[in-house]
Amino acid sequence: MKFSTVINIPKAPFELQPCEQMLFTGSCFAERIGTRFFEEKFRAMVNPFGVMYNPASVLHTVERVERPVDTLAMTLGTNRVYVEKSSGEIVDNCQKRPQSLFYERELSIDECVEFLSRAVEKALSRNANTKIIVTVSPIRYAKYGYHESQLAKAVLLLAADRLISLFPKIAYYFPAYEIVNDELRDYRFYEADMLHPNAQAVEYIWERLQPALLSEKARQFIQEWKPIKEALAHKPFNPEAEQYKTFMAATRNMAEALQEKYPEMELHLPEQ
C-alpha cells in the first residue's frame, strides 16, 4: 500500500564531484539547497547579489560573477519582472525607489528561454565544462494570486524543458517543484506561512537529489565529512575542559587528514 506519489528522478547526464565550485542563483529555494551543498563542503556561492526570482535577474547574476564555476544551478521562481520606465531595463531590485518609476510585466516562454540560454552561454565562456542544473521553485506566490502563480510556474516549467533540449549533454532539470507538490503533499512539510518548504522538506529533497546528481566519490566524501561536521557543531558545557580539548584535537586531525585526501576542500577550523 502506497500513501504518496513518488517522483521518478532520472540520473543527470553528468556527475558532481567533491568540493566542486558551484554557483546557485535564483529564488529563496536556491538559497536553501545551495546552503545544503555549502554545508557539505562544496565550494558553493549562493545568490552573491541577493535573491533573484526571474530568468532575467538570474542572467544578471551569472554575468556579474566573473569566476568560472564547475556547476551553475538556477532556480526559477516567477516570470514576472519589474522594468524601469526611463531605461526600459529589467531591474533586479527597485532599491526602495518609488514604485511609479517602474512597471511590471510577464516574460513569455521564449523570453525566459532567451535569458536562461544567455546565462548558460556566459557560464560556458568562462569554463567550457560547466554543468547546468535547472529547478523551478515550489514556493507559491500569494502576492499574485494562486492561480496566477501556477500560470507563472507553467511558463517556467516549459522554459526549463526547452532549455534542457537546447543543451542536452550538459543541462539537467531536477524536479524539486514536483517533489514538493506531489510527494510532500502535506502542510507538515511547510513553514508557518504554509508556502515555504520547511527544513524537513529540504532535507528530503537533498536525499532525493544525491543519487541523481552526485558521483560515488562525492557521496563517499560526504560520509567521511559527516562525523567531522557533527563534531565541529558540538557545543561544550565547558570549552576549557581537558576532555573537550582532546576531543577537538582529534577532530582537527581528522579534518586535516580529509583535506589531504581531498586537496580542493576548503577547511576553516576554529582557533585552538
Side-chain angles (χ1 to χ4, degrees), residues 7 18 87 96 153 176 185 193 201 206 217 244 265:
I7 301 299
S87 65
K96 298 183 179 180
K153 300 295 185 185
R185 205 175 348 175
D193 64 2
W206 171 250
K217 186 177 180 181
Y244 177 69
M265 173 184 173

mmCIF file of all heavy atoms in Angstrom, residues 7 18 87 96 153 176 185 193 201 206 217 244 265:
data_model
loop_
_atom_site.group_PDB
_atom_site.id
_atom_site.type_symbol
_atom_site.label_atom_id
_atom_site.label_comp_id
_atom_site.label_asym_id
_atom_site.label_seq_id
_atom_site.Cartn_x
_atom_site.Cartn_y
_atom_site.Cartn_z
ATOM 1 N N ILE A 7 8.046 10.515 -7.204
ATOM 2 C CA ILE A 7 8.505 11.035 -8.483
ATOM 3 C C ILE A 7 9.702 10.236 -8.976
ATOM 4 O O ILE A 7 10.652 9.988 -8.231
ATOM 5 C CB ILE A 7 8.908 12.525 -8.347
ATOM 6 C CG1 ILE A 7 7.730 13.364 -7.856
ATOM 7 C CG2 ILE A 7 9.446 13.065 -9.665
ATOM 8 C CD1 ILE A 7 6.543 13.365 -8.771
ATOM 9 N N PRO A 18 33.357 15.855 -5.519
ATOM 10 C CA PRO A 18 33.505 16.504 -4.216
ATOM 11 C C PRO A 18 34.066 17.913 -4.329
ATOM 12 O O PRO A 18 34.947 18.176 -5.150
ATOM 13 C CB PRO A 18 34.500 15.589 -3.481
ATOM 14 C CG PRO A 18 34.437 14.293 -4.185
ATOM 15 C CD PRO A 18 34.111 14.599 -5.607
ATOM 16 N N SER A 87 14.585 53.696 -18.635
ATOM 17 C CA SER A 87 15.596 52.984 -19.424
ATOM 18 C C SER A 87 15.055 51.791 -20.185
ATOM 19 O O SER A 87 15.683 51.317 -21.130
ATOM 20 C CB SER A 87 16.723 52.509 -18.501
ATOM 21 O OG SER A 87 16.222 51.532 -17.584
ATOM 22 N N LYS A 96 14.304 50.567 -3.189
ATOM 23 C CA LYS A 96 13.422 51.445 -2.409
ATOM 24 C C LYS A 96 13.048 52.737 -3.144
ATOM 25 O O LYS A 96 12.594 53.696 -2.527
ATOM 26 C CB LYS A 96 14.053 51.774 -1.055
ATOM 27 C CG LYS A 96 14.276 50.537 -0.183
ATOM 28 C CD LYS A 96 14.827 50.892 1.180
ATOM 29 C CE LYS A 96 15.016 49.639 2.032
ATOM 30 N NZ LYS A 96 15.555 49.945 3.377
ATOM 31 N N LYS A 153 4.371 29.450 -12.967
ATOM 32 C CA LYS A 153 5.150 28.221 -12.857
ATOM 33 C C LYS A 153 5.084 27.418 -14.158
ATOM 34 O O LYS A 153 6.075 26.803 -14.575
ATOM 35 C CB LYS A 153 4.650 27.356 -11.699
ATOM 36 C CG LYS A 153 4.719 28.008 -10.326
ATOM 37 C CD LYS A 153 6.126 28.288 -9.863
ATOM 38 C CE LYS A 153 6.128 28.830 -8.448
ATOM 39 N NZ LYS A 153 7.470 29.227 -7.981
ATOM 40 N N ALA A 176 12.409 19.499 -8.247
ATOM 41 C CA ALA A 176 12.086 19.945 -6.879
ATOM 42 C C ALA A 176 10.623 20.376 -6.783
ATOM 43 O O ALA A 176 9.948 20.099 -5.783
ATOM 44 C CB ALA A 176 13.007 21.089 -6.477
ATOM 45 N N ARG A 185 2.888 16.272 -0.332
ATOM 46 C CA ARG A 185 1.613 16.982 -0.442
ATOM 47 C C ARG A 185 0.918 17.041 0.915
ATOM 48 O O ARG A 185 -0.157 16.474 1.120
ATOM 49 C CB ARG A 185 0.745 16.257 -1.465
ATOM 50 C CG ARG A 185 -0.287 17.122 -2.125
ATOM 51 C CD ARG A 185 -1.032 16.388 -3.207
ATOM 52 N NE ARG A 185 -0.458 15.107 -3.621
ATOM 53 C CZ ARG A 185 -1.035 14.299 -4.488
ATOM 54 N NH1 ARG A 185 -2.188 14.625 -5.025
ATOM 55 N NH2 ARG A 185 -0.476 13.159 -4.821
ATOM 56 N N ASP A 193 4.059 29.872 7.321
ATOM 57 C CA ASP A 193 3.304 30.643 6.325
ATOM 58 C C ASP A 193 2.559 29.749 5.341
ATOM 59 O O ASP A 193 1.799 30.221 4.497
ATOM 60 C CB ASP A 193 4.221 31.608 5.574
ATOM 61 C CG ASP A 193 5.287 30.899 4.740
ATOM 62 O OD1 ASP A 193 5.318 29.646 4.698
ATOM 63 O OD2 ASP A 193 6.109 31.602 4.120
ATOM 64 N N ALA A 201 11.435 19.161 4.632
ATOM 65 C CA ALA A 201 11.228 19.038 3.186
ATOM 66 C C ALA A 201 12.539 19.237 2.434
ATOM 67 O O ALA A 201 12.847 18.504 1.483
ATOM 68 C CB ALA A 201 10.191 20.054 2.719
ATOM 69 N N TRP A 206 17.162 16.967 -0.525
ATOM 70 C CA TRP A 206 18.598 16.700 -0.559
ATOM 71 C C TRP A 206 18.867 15.201 -0.694
ATOM 72 O O TRP A 206 19.732 14.775 -1.468
ATOM 73 C CB TRP A 206 19.252 17.260 0.705
ATOM 74 C CG TRP A 206 20.681 16.860 0.899
ATOM 75 C CD1 TRP A 206 21.167 16.009 1.842
ATOM 76 C CD2 TRP A 206 21.818 17.283 0.128
ATOM 77 N NE1 TRP A 206 22.529 15.876 1.718
ATOM 78 C CE2 TRP A 206 22.948 16.645 0.670
ATOM 79 C CE3 TRP A 206 21.966 18.136 -0.961
ATOM 80 C CZ2 TRP A 206 24.232 16.836 0.161
ATOM 81 C CZ3 TRP A 206 23.240 18.323 -1.478
ATOM 82 C CH2 TRP A 206 24.356 17.684 -0.919
ATOM 83 N N LYS A 217 32.168 9.155 -5.654
ATOM 84 C CA LYS A 217 33.237 9.796 -4.891
ATOM 85 C C LYS A 217 32.687 10.931 -4.028
ATOM 86 O O LYS A 217 33.098 11.105 -2.880
ATOM 87 C CB LYS A 217 34.300 10.331 -5.848
ATOM 88 C CG LYS A 217 35.530 10.894 -5.155
ATOM 89 C CD LYS A 217 36.575 11.339 -6.159
ATOM 90 C CE LYS A 217 37.812 11.905 -5.455
ATOM 91 N NZ LYS A 217 38.837 12.366 -6.436
ATOM 92 N N TYR A 244 37.303 18.098 26.450
ATOM 93 C CA TYR A 244 36.845 18.762 25.224
ATOM 94 C C TYR A 244 38.036 19.131 24.339
ATOM 95 O O TYR A 244 37.969 18.996 23.107
ATOM 96 C CB TYR A 244 36.033 20.008 25.566
ATOM 97 C CG TYR A 244 35.601 20.783 24.334
ATOM 98 C CD1 TYR A 244 34.653 20.249 23.463
ATOM 99 C CD2 TYR A 244 36.162 22.013 24.037
ATOM 100 C CE1 TYR A 244 34.272 20.936 22.323
ATOM 101 C CE2 TYR A 244 35.776 22.715 22.894
ATOM 102 C CZ TYR A 244 34.837 22.172 22.047
ATOM 103 O OH TYR A 244 34.468 22.848 20.915
ATOM 104 N N MET A 265 39.346 20.744 -0.960
ATOM 105 C CA MET A 265 38.450 21.056 0.151
ATOM 106 C C MET A 265 38.912 22.320 0.872
ATOM 107 O O MET A 265 40.087 22.465 1.210
ATOM 108 C CB MET A 265 38.436 19.872 1.130
ATOM 109 C CG MET A 265 37.683 20.110 2.422
ATOM 110 S SD MET A 265 37.858 18.674 3.517
ATOM 111 C CE MET A 265 37.091 19.278 5.005
#
